[in-house]
Amino acid sequence: MTPTSMRLRCAGALLGLLLAGGVQAASPAAMNGDKVEPLAEYVSPADSLPQLRYFCDGLITLNDRCPVRKVRLNPKMGASYVNGRPVGFC
């Protein structure tokens, strides 16, 4: 490994740490226990496992249940986008 690539790797790691710290500092409401506004709404609230429609782009989630716990999706949690489509989580 060359010294230049080592410096770039260290700079990338440092940038990642700084960005991760900035994300935590950007959401003091979640850290203080204040009410967090939902990011989405249920498409069919009467269903036992409804999909979500996100307010920011109007897209509907690919999934109808949390891929981790297999329960209802959480409208207060942001989505991860896969090929431009949102995947909701619990």
Side-chain angles (χ1 to χ4, degrees), residues 34-46:
D34 294 341
K35 184 177 178 184
V36 178
E37 295 296 321
L39 302 171
E41 64 184 353
Y42 290 115
V43 175
S44 303

Side-chain angles (χ1 to χ4, degrees), residues 42-45 47-52 61 63-65 72-73:
Y42 290 115
V43 175
S44 303
D47 291 347
S48 62
L49 295 169
Q51 292 177 308
L52 292 175
T61 56
N63 55 332
D64 62 352
R65 65 194 75 197
R72 193 175 228 205
L73 298 173

